[in-house]
Amino acid sequence: MALIVQKYGGTSVGSIERIQAVAERVKRWRDQGDQVVVVVSAMSGETDRLIKLAKQLQERPEPRELDVLLSTGEQVTIALLSMALAAQGCPARSYTGAQVHILTDSAHNKARIRDIDAARVRADLEAGRVVVVAGFQGIDEQGDITTLGRGGSDTSAVAIAAALKANECQIYTDVDGVYTTDPRVEPKARKLDRITFEEMLEMASLGSKVLQIRSVEFAGKYRVPLRVLSSFGEGEGTLISFEDNDVEDAKISGIAFSRDEAKLTVLGVPDQPGVAHRILGPIAEANIEVDMIVQNVGADESTTDFTFTVHRNDYAPALDILKRTADELGARQVTGDASIVKISLVGVGMRSHAGIASRMFASLAKEGINIRMISTSEIKISVVVDEKYLELGVRTLHEAFGLDRPAA
Ligand code: ADP
Ligand code: ASP
Ligand code: MG
């Protein structure tokens, strides 16, 4: 007998029929003798609908109140799924995050899970029931409802799997696994049977929304066996593997991209010690995360140009702050661009292969795609390009690195 945690995303529970199909699948696992905990998202489109309602009242609603609102989406799904299971003769009980003590910090809208009290879940499983838990939500020490950020149900599932020491955490979604890149952008993308944990972590952090980054971090920390698979069909999906040598011997495993980027530049800053700190300090104080940073020597050598990228949602506040700092520093000008994207090549094989970067730049150049910024790490190379080149850039690189064919 195994203990399995299954998570079903929004599309997978998007209608009554879909919820019935999920119930059938869950029942199959239980009837074969496994203990099953199910984590669900809100029905597709529901979280967006709730955010829109809130924005009709306030442009920036109080994060605490937004969490009270957003958590209702998942609460609907747990109740409906438990009913669907009961209708099929499968005993089940639904729980909100608070009811199973998913304790988080108090960072509303992006809370982190600290602890889970799995006793109640265990008791139900022992009694032969399927346990249905609301994803994406928790409760803080004051008893206030919190949510975990978009895509957060993945993290709920992995955290519950870790707390229960489950045999596997299965993430059921609308694609049948992790692909070489988003199949919606490159139809020739190929499903991977396995991907290393390290690569999955990079893919998620560089924008592949198939798994929320924190769920991958959690899986790594607690060694949770994690699999991504389709709720619409059968198949083994993609296993996130902790063994480096267990996977295809490819130099590059995938291409991630992010549309949520914006870049800011301050031109003609006096080139003195402490300038980077003076520019980025106020940005950090405003809780804005900075991704790439580039500093150039300006034309006259006594000044410098400084560029960095932020999440597109933070563009307007970051620009305001930067303009103030630029005045204080006596900089010449501040510019910004919120129509850029980031495309990244990811692969553990990059470590031992030179020339990946030059091949990447050459293929983009051949298509006339101008690279605005570059950053690298051991297993990834990222470039910033204009938004209009996203699809072309991804497809060009997919082709150039032969990702549509399995590694020889
Ligand atoms: P869910 O609602 O089930 O959580 P998501 O929309 O969050 O589903 O994630 C699944 C989507 O992730 C897919 O429909 C696909 O478009 C997108 N995606 C992005 N990158 C990848 C990738 N490398 N492999 C598979 N899917 C990807
Ligand atoms: N419903 C939430 C969202 O749409 C959480 C999730 O689906 O993972 O982001
Ligand atoms: Mg998701």
Side-chain angles (χ1 to χ4, degrees):
M1 185 183 65
L3 199 171
I4 309 289
V5 175
Q6 303 187 330
K7 177 257 172 178
Y8 293 89
T11 319
S12 304
V13 294
S15 66
I16 289 297
E17 292 71 32
R18 290 299 314 152
I19 290 175
Q20 284 169 324
V22 166
E24 271 165 38
R25 187 184 294 270
V26 171
K27 184 170 183 290
R28 260 199 332 259
W29 280 85
R30 180 188 168 269
D31 288 350
Q32 123 200 336
D34 294 321
Q35 295 185 322
V36 190
V37 177
V38 188
V39 175
V40 286
S41 293
M43 294 170 77
S44 56
E46 181 62 11
T47 308
D48 289 336
R49 188 185 74 90
L50 294 169
I51 292 173
K52 255 195 224 139
L53 286 179
K55 293 221 158 161
Q56 285 177 38
L57 297 167
Q58 275 187 304
E59 181 43 42
R60 282 168 188 255
E62 192 59 46
R64 180 189 180 280
E65 302 313 323
L66 193 59
D67 278 349
V68 174
L69 179 70
L70 295 190
S71 66
T72 63
E74 272 70 12
Q75 191 168 338
V76 168
T77 322
I78 54 169
L80 291 176
L81 180 59
S82 300
M83 292 172 198
L85 283 162
Q88 294 179 24
C90 178
R93 235 179 223 174
S94 66
Y95 293 102
T96 63
Q99 284 177 298
V100 285
H101 305 285
I102 299 185
L103 184 72
T104 71
D105 60 20
S106 300
H108 286 286
N109 309 167
K110 50 179 178 210
R112 280 180 184 268
I113 298 178
R114 282 196 181 146
D115 193 33
I116 296 179
D117 175 8
R120 201 157 178 193
V121 176
R122 280 221 178 80
D124 274 322
L125 292 174
E126 292 306 323
R129 282 189 283 264
V130 167
V131 179
V132 183
V133 182
F136 179 56
Q137 56 178 263
I139 189 170
D140 71 2
E141 255 157 16
Q142 286 86 57
D144 284 332
I145 296 172
T146 54
T147 66
L148 311 179
R150 297 311 300 266
S153 299
D154 298 333
T155 305
S156 308
V158 176
I160 290 170
L164 290 168
K165 300 195 171 54
N167 297 85
E168 189 163 274
C169 182
Q170 304 173 339
I171 306 288
Y172 287 91
T173 182
D174 54 6
V175 282
D176 61 353
V178 178
Y179 278 68
T180 47
T181 192
D182 189 339
R184 284 177 217 278
V185 167
E186 170 52 285
K188 286 193 217 140
R190 186 170 54 86
K191 186 186 81 88
L192 301 164
D193 293 333
R194 287 161 184 260
I195 183 168
T196 67
F197 158 73
E198 223 184 335
E199 287 168 329
M200 192 65 240
L201 198 61
E202 284 284 6
M203 292 279 279
S205 79
L206 295 167
S208 294
K209 286 185 178 139
V210 60
L211 287 175
Q212 196 197 36
I213 168 116
R214 282 183 188 166
S215 71
V216 187
E217 287 168 357
F218 239 101
K221 192 162 167 199
Y222 297 99
R223 293 275 154 159
V224 178
L226 185 59
R227 193 181 284 278
V228 176
L229 58 184
S230 168
S231 71
F232 290 79
E234 302 305 315
E236 297 289 298
T238 302
L239 181 71
I240 317 303
S241 168
F242 294 103
E243 306 294 326
D244 252 23
N245 51 14
D246 195 31
V247 292
E248 283 182 17
D249 184 26
K251 296 180 191 115
I252 306 296
S253 319
I255 300 172
F257 56 84
S258 160
R259 302 177 204 266
D260 303 324
E261 309 285 322
K263 112 182 160 29
L264 299 103
T265 300
V266 48
L267 295 159
V269 198
D271 195 4
Q272 295 155 357
V275 161
H277 174 67
R278 295 269 311 266
I279 294 172
L280 295 180
I283 301 279
E285 269 160 41
N287 261 324
I288 295 174
E289 255 177 67
V290 170
D291 179 17
M292 291 191 198
I293 303 172
V294 175
Q295 185 181 335
N296 284 324
V297 180
D300 60 4
E301 294 206 0
S302 66
T303 66
T304 178
D305 301 340
F306 194 95
T307 303
F308 58 95
T309 63
V310 298
H311 193 284
R312 212 174 273 186
N313 289 346
D314 292 327
Y315 177 64
L319 195 60
D320 284 348
I321 295 169
L322 189 60
K323 281 183 178 152
R324 256 177 279 139
T325 314
D327 279 346
E328 285 166 25
L329 289 172
R332 184 155 42 84
Q333 197 191 347
V334 170
T335 62
D337 188 349
S339 53
I340 55 155
V341 294
K342 181 169 71 175
I343 305 179
S344 311
L345 277 183
V346 176
V348 286
M350 231 183 255
R351 279 195 192 111
S352 48
H353 292 272
I356 304 269
S358 63
R359 191 145 128 218
M360 178 183 195
F361 305 154
S363 3
L364 293 173
K366 219 169 115 203
E367 295 298 328
I369 301 175
N370 192 23
I371 301 171
R372 315 273 297 267
M373 287 171 93
I374 299 171
S375 92
T376 64
S377 79
E378 250 205 319
I379 66 161
K380 72 120 204 278
I381 307 170
S382 302
V383 295
V384 165
V385 300
D386 289 346
E387 195 171 60
K388 64 178 180 216
Y389 293 130
L390 178 80
E391 282 79 9
L392 179 64
V394 168
R395 289 180 199 147
T396 300
L397 295 175
H398 202 266
E399 170 81 40
F401 287 90
L403 291 180
D404 51 343
R405 302 180 295 273

Coordinates of all heavy atoms in Angstrom, one line a residue, residues 7 9-10 41-42 47 74 136 149-154, ligand 2:
K7 N -2.3 16.3 -7.0 CA -2.8 17.7 -7.1 C -3.4 17.9 -8.5 O -2.8 17.5 -9.5 CB -1.6 18.7 -6.9 CG -2.0 20.1 -7.1 CD -1.5 20.7 -8.4 CE -2.1 22.1 -8.7 NZ -1.6 22.6 -10.0
G9 N -4.9 20.8 -11.1 CA -4.9 22.2 -11.3 C -6.3 22.7 -11.9 O -7.2 21.9 -12.1
G10 N -6.4 24.0 -12.1 CA -7.6 24.6 -12.5 C -8.4 24.0 -13.6 O -9.6 23.7 -13.6
S41 N -6.9 23.0 -7.0 CA -6.9 24.4 -7.2 C -8.4 24.9 -7.4 O -9.3 24.1 -7.4 CB -6.2 24.7 -8.6 OG -4.9 24.4 -8.5
A42 N -8.5 26.2 -7.5 CA -9.8 26.7 -7.9 C -10.2 26.3 -9.3 O -9.3 26.0 -10.1 CB -9.8 28.3 -7.8
T47 N -9.8 32.2 -10.0 CA -8.9 33.1 -9.2 C -8.8 34.5 -10.0 O -8.9 35.5 -9.3 CB -7.5 32.5 -9.1 OG1 -7.7 31.2 -8.5 CG2 -6.6 33.3 -8.1
E74 N -10.7 27.8 -4.0 CA -10.3 26.5 -3.7 C -11.4 25.8 -2.8 O -11.5 24.6 -2.8 CB -8.9 26.4 -3.0 CG -7.7 26.4 -4.0 CD -7.5 27.6 -4.8 OE1 -8.1 28.7 -4.5 OE2 -6.7 27.5 -5.8
F136 N -3.1 26.2 -2.2 CA -2.9 27.7 -2.4 C -3.2 28.5 -1.1 O -2.9 29.6 -1.1 CB -3.9 28.1 -3.5 CG -3.9 29.6 -3.9 CD1 -2.7 30.3 -4.3 CD2 -5.1 30.3 -3.9 CE1 -2.8 31.6 -4.6 CE2 -5.1 31.6 -4.3 CZ -4.0 32.3 -4.7
G149 N 0.6 32.7 -3.4 CA 1.1 33.2 -4.7 C 0.6 32.3 -5.8 O 0.2 31.2 -5.6
R150 N 0.5 32.9 -7.0 CA -0.1 32.2 -8.2 C 0.6 30.9 -8.4 O 1.8 30.8 -8.3 CB 0.0 33.1 -9.5 CG -0.8 34.4 -9.4 CD -2.2 34.3 -8.9 NE -3.1 33.4 -9.7 CZ -3.9 33.8 -10.7 NH1 -3.9 35.1 -11.1 NH2 -4.7 32.9 -11.3
G151 N -0.2 29.9 -8.7 CA 0.4 28.5 -8.9 C 0.7 27.8 -7.6 O 1.3 26.8 -7.5
G152 N 0.2 28.4 -6.5 CA 0.6 27.9 -5.1 C 0.1 26.6 -4.7 O 0.6 25.9 -3.8
S153 N -0.9 26.0 -5.5 CA -1.4 24.7 -5.1 C -0.4 23.6 -5.3 O -0.4 22.6 -4.6 CB -2.6 24.4 -5.9 OG -3.7 25.3 -5.7
D154 N 0.6 23.9 -6.3 CA 1.7 22.9 -6.4 C 2.4 22.8 -5.1 O 2.8 21.7 -4.7 CB 2.6 23.4 -7.5 CG 2.0 23.5 -8.9 OD1 1.0 22.8 -9.2 OD2 2.5 24.3 -9.7
Ligands
ASP2 N1 -5.9 29.1 -7.9 C1 -4.5 29.6 -7.7 C2 -4.0 30.3 -9.0 O1 -4.8 30.3 -10.0 C3 -3.5 28.6 -7.3 C4 -3.2 27.5 -8.2 O2 -4.0 27.2 -9.1 O3 -2.2 26.8 -8.0 O4 -2.9 30.8 -9.1

